[in-house]
Amino acid sequence: MASGRTLLLTALRFDIDNLRHLAAACDMVGDISRFIHVLQRERGASTIYLASKGKQFATRRTEFMACSQQAEALMRTRLEALCEKPRPEAGARLLRRIATVWMALDDLPRLREAIDARELTPDGATRAFNDIIGGLLAIVFEAADTAADPDITRALVAIFHLMQGKELAGQERACGAFGFTYGRFDEPHRTLFERLTQDQNRCFDIFLEFAGANTRESWHQSLCKQTLTYIETLRESAHRGERARSDSDARMSETWYALATQRIDGLKQVEDTAILELAALCHVKIEAAQRAFDEAYTPRVRTQPAPCEQLLALGEDRALGDLTISALASPLSRSLIELTHAQSSRLQGLSDELENTRKALRERKLIERAKGLIMAHQSMSEEQAYRFLRKTSMDQSKSMASMAQSILDLSSMLSRPTP
């Protein structure tokens, strides 16, 4: 039969093993981040290449493709290593995400050939790249959603929303490149341009809520205010739907692309800081778990005989109850009991904090879905929908999450066909 010490050591080994696997998943997030960044550049260059009928960005697109292929190879190696020993609690879901992305990456050479031959529209190429990047972000979300440590979960949630916001900034860059290359923005592209700006801000708000101190500091330092001012000027021009009046105006796409790229590169610096902070956090967690294991593995030095030795030495006829009390009072037993209680309390605290984090994420998803329904059915902007949801929840003395769930339930009921 296993002893208490053996069971405790086994539990601690599981903790260390899970944390190491989680650290490997976090390393994978770094590789995905690097690949997405160069793939975003390739997407933007491909959009301008197609919109200009091959006259612009041909050389830069070739350079970006080479960078993408190199980053893709490194990322595939990491994904293969992670898939060799997936965790049962998250393995199947993670493997499905990776499999979907893997098949999309296998089709990437054909996508590039179609762009070379200008067989795709700029929007069609952008959508194809968006699908690949969306699949990569889904892997990051899966890592955040299945992480078993609340601190690491919070860091992954922050990174996911930063990467998602940066991806929306990349889509905005591609959409702007399309409109500025053609010399005007039609209504669908102008609407998309505005929505991408709003969605970015929402992602970055969530990112800042969960980000660590170093990452928040990097956020405030790395974004150039002058660049942001120029970008806002071009955004306003696009929102007004102004038509280019000369060749120099028509080539505004390159100016837009350069400014948007500066901003996205700044976001990448923040992303790198967040990933480094995450790696350091994983290292600290593993070290703490290892110390707990070492403390449990190495018994404390006894300063007095064990209860059974005292019984034999003195020849006392002691009752079994007395012997049990003495055994529990021994230094070795006390150390094991203290460690077990400490471990149990720590795990309970982690479980509670993790559940609170995931509950906050679930509620946020409900609110976002309800806002989308309100915007669609009431012709409201995002800010108006949010204020409407907040006021309605206050009027009915409900939390915003509960009100959002009620709206979603009602929408689902109304959408069912009548018998």
Side-chain angles (χ1 to χ4, degrees), residues 263-338:
R263 176 172 178 253
I264 291 172
D265 287 347
L267 293 173
K268 182 63 172 67
Q269 292 178 20
V270 181
E271 200 170 278
D272 290 344
T273 301
I275 290 170
L276 287 174
E277 195 170 23
L278 174 62
L281 178 61
C282 289
H283 183 69
V284 168
K285 294 283 183 177
I286 292 172
E287 281 191 339
Q290 187 64 55
R291 282 196 302 271
F293 177 85
D294 294 341
E295 187 176 353
Y297 185 81
T298 305
R300 296 178 183 174
V301 178
R302 292 184 301 172
T303 59
Q304 61 183 22
C308 57
E309 295 172 351
Q310 293 176 352
L311 179 63
L312 291 174
L314 298 175
E316 298 175 352
D317 185 13
R318 297 171 62 181
L320 181 59
D322 294 336
L323 181 62
T324 302
I325 293 172
S326 297
L328 291 175
S330 72
L332 175 58
S333 295
R334 281 202 309 273
S335 66
L336 282 175
I337 292 171
E338 289 165 2

Side-chain angles (χ1 to χ4, degrees), residues 152-186:
I152 294 176
T153 298
R154 290 180 64 86
L156 282 168
V157 167
I159 290 172
F160 169 74
H161 282 93
L162 175 60
M163 292 177 70
Q164 190 176 46
K166 178 169 163 287
E167 162 56 10
L168 293 169
Q171 291 183 28
E172 183 191 32
R173 176 174 60 184
C175 181
F178 173 85
F180 286 119
T181 299
Y182 273 121
R184 64 177 297 271
F185 285 79
D186 55 23

Side-chain angles (χ1 to χ4, degrees), residues 58-215:
T59 301
R60 268 187 276 188
R61 175 175 167 264
T62 301
E63 295 172 354
F64 294 157
M65 277 194 296
C67 294
S68 295
Q69 289 164 343
Q70 183 179 12
E72 178 187 347
L74 293 173
M75 185 196 66
R76 281 183 185 259
T77 301
R78 182 83 70 182
L79 293 178
E80 285 178 337
L82 189 68
C83 292
E84 287 178 358
K85 295 181 180 179
R87 288 296 175 270
E89 63 272 16
R93 289 164 54 186
L94 183 61
L95 287 175
R96 288 191 188 96
R97 297 286 194 190
I98 294 175
T100 301
V101 170
W102 203 276
M103 289 185 285
L105 292 177
D106 287 341
D107 288 335
L108 191 52
R110 284 187 285 275
L111 170 62
R112 288 167 174 151
E113 290 172 1
I115 294 172
D116 282 334
R118 302 208 299 276
E119 296 173 354
L120 289 175
T121 64
D123 285 343
T126 297
R127 283 193 296 270
F129 280 110
N130 291 354
D131 289 342
I132 296 173
I133 295 173
L136 292 166
L137 287 172
I139 295 176
V140 178
F141 178 81
E142 197 65 51
D145 197 39
T146 57
D149 182 278
D151 295 328
I152 294 176
T153 298
R154 290 180 64 86
L156 282 168
V157 167
I159 290 172
F160 169 74
H161 282 93
L162 175 60
M163 292 177 70
Q164 190 176 46
K166 178 169 163 287
E167 162 56 10
L168 293 169
Q171 291 183 28
E172 183 191 32
R173 176 174 60 184
C175 181
F178 173 85
F180 286 119
T181 299
Y182 273 121
R184 64 177 297 271
F185 285 79
D186 55 23
E187 185 60 32
H189 286 89
R190 186 164 63 249
T191 301
L192 174 62
F193 206 55
E194 293 175 357
R195 182 174 61 79
L196 288 171
T197 303
Q198 295 170 355
D199 290 347
Q200 285 175 66
N201 294 334
R202 185 172 66 251
C203 286
F204 293 143
D205 287 343
I206 299 173
F207 152 71
L208 288 170
E209 180 181 344
F210 287 91
N214 292 339
T215 304

